[in-house]
Amino acid sequence: MPERTRAATLLALAVTGLAVALAAPATAAAKAPGFLAATDLPPHPSSSWTAGKVTAGVPQETGADECLRAVPGHEAAWHRDFRTDLDTNAMQITLVLHDTRTAEQLASQLNADLASCADRIAQQQPDTRVTGKDYGTLPVEEGAHVYGVHIETSWGASDVRLLSVGRDGRTVTVVNWAQLGGFDGAPVEAFKKTTTTAVNKLH
């Protein structure tokens, strides 16, 4: 190949590569919505909450979660983990969709999945006793909804989760709180306040 032709080809490839490099980070560079702080979580009776960093993407384990199966696969997503020194942990996942219609559809799918995940878990794990609860809606922005799931195994292990989904415009957030034990130890009212705060903090 003549040197001039080769140089022109390399220049074209460099320009194309630069264009791709400039376009590719658009989603990754998007500003993360507001997230919960450790002090926004339901108070633990004997241990304070610690918050991890707001991290881009959806946690890998979410793909195997029957309650949150609609979350993976979205590009503009962030999450934050929370923990105490004992048996309680929490997580917030927030997704920014292309438009409000898509966000509304995702929120609707998540609500459907949260309302029915206890039944799916029970079908997949016949040696467990699974109970789901619907704690109703919350009047914040475009709305939020709170659910509960309790799983008890045949060998006596027991854990409970409180989950919620909320939307503000084209942004959807999910909050998950989990602890060993049953519904009697779940701070439902405090979690509702946490959910309201999560949605209010998005923008």
Side-chain angles (χ1 to χ4, degrees), residues 37-51 82-90 177-179 187:
T39 53
D40 296 322
L41 275 291
H44 192 282
S46 57
S47 178
S48 59
W49 286 95
T50 299
F82 304 86
R83 62 176 177 80
T84 67
D85 293 333
L86 299 174
D87 56 1
T88 310
N89 62 81
W177 173 97
Q179 179 176 276

Side-chain angles (χ1 to χ4, degrees), residues 40-76:
D40 296 322
L41 275 291
H44 192 282
S46 57
S47 178
S48 59
W49 286 95
T50 299
K53 293 182 179 179
V54 175
T55 305
V58 174
Q60 185 176 0
E61 63 270 19
T62 307
D65 191 329
E66 280 297 325
C67 297
L68 302 178
R69 60 183 185 176
V71 169
H74 299 280
E75 295 179 0

Side-chain angles (χ1 to χ4, degrees), residues 27 55-58 71 74-79 93-96:
T27 298
T55 305
V58 174
V71 169
H74 299 280
E75 295 179 0
W78 295 264
H79 69 278
I93 303 174
T94 300
L95 309 100
V96 179

Side-chain angles (χ1 to χ4, degrees), residues 9 18 58 61 76 90 93 143 158 179-180 194 203:
T9 301
L18 177 61
V58 174
E61 63 270 19
I93 303 174
S158 176
Q179 179 176 276
L180 296 180
T194 294
H203 300 293

Side-chain angles (χ1 to χ4, degrees), residues 50-153:
T50 299
K53 293 182 179 179
V54 175
T55 305
V58 174
Q60 185 176 0
E61 63 270 19
T62 307
D65 191 329
E66 280 297 325
C67 297
L68 302 178
R69 60 183 185 176
V71 169
H74 299 280
E75 295 179 0
W78 295 264
H79 69 278
R80 189 174 207 178
D81 295 318
F82 304 86
R83 62 176 177 80
T84 67
D85 293 333
L86 299 174
D87 56 1
T88 310
N89 62 81
M91 176 176 59
Q92 181 183 6
I93 303 174
T94 300
L95 309 100
V96 179
L97 287 300
H98 297 296
D99 50 51
T100 55
R101 180 181 178 184
T102 308
E104 184 177 4
Q105 291 173 344
L106 176 60
S108 178
Q109 181 60 58
L110 282 166
N111 275 304
D113 285 349
L114 289 173
S116 60
C117 70
D119 291 336
R120 290 194 303 278
I121 295 171
Q123 291 175 0
Q124 295 176 9
Q125 303 177 31
D127 60 338
T128 62
R129 180 180 178 182
V130 189
T131 305
K133 289 193 176 185
D134 185 334
Y135 290 111
T137 59
L138 300 173
V140 54
E141 298 300 339
E142 274 70 58
H145 206 128
V146 177
Y147 304 85
V149 178
H150 175 239
I151 301 177
E152 185 175 4
T153 67

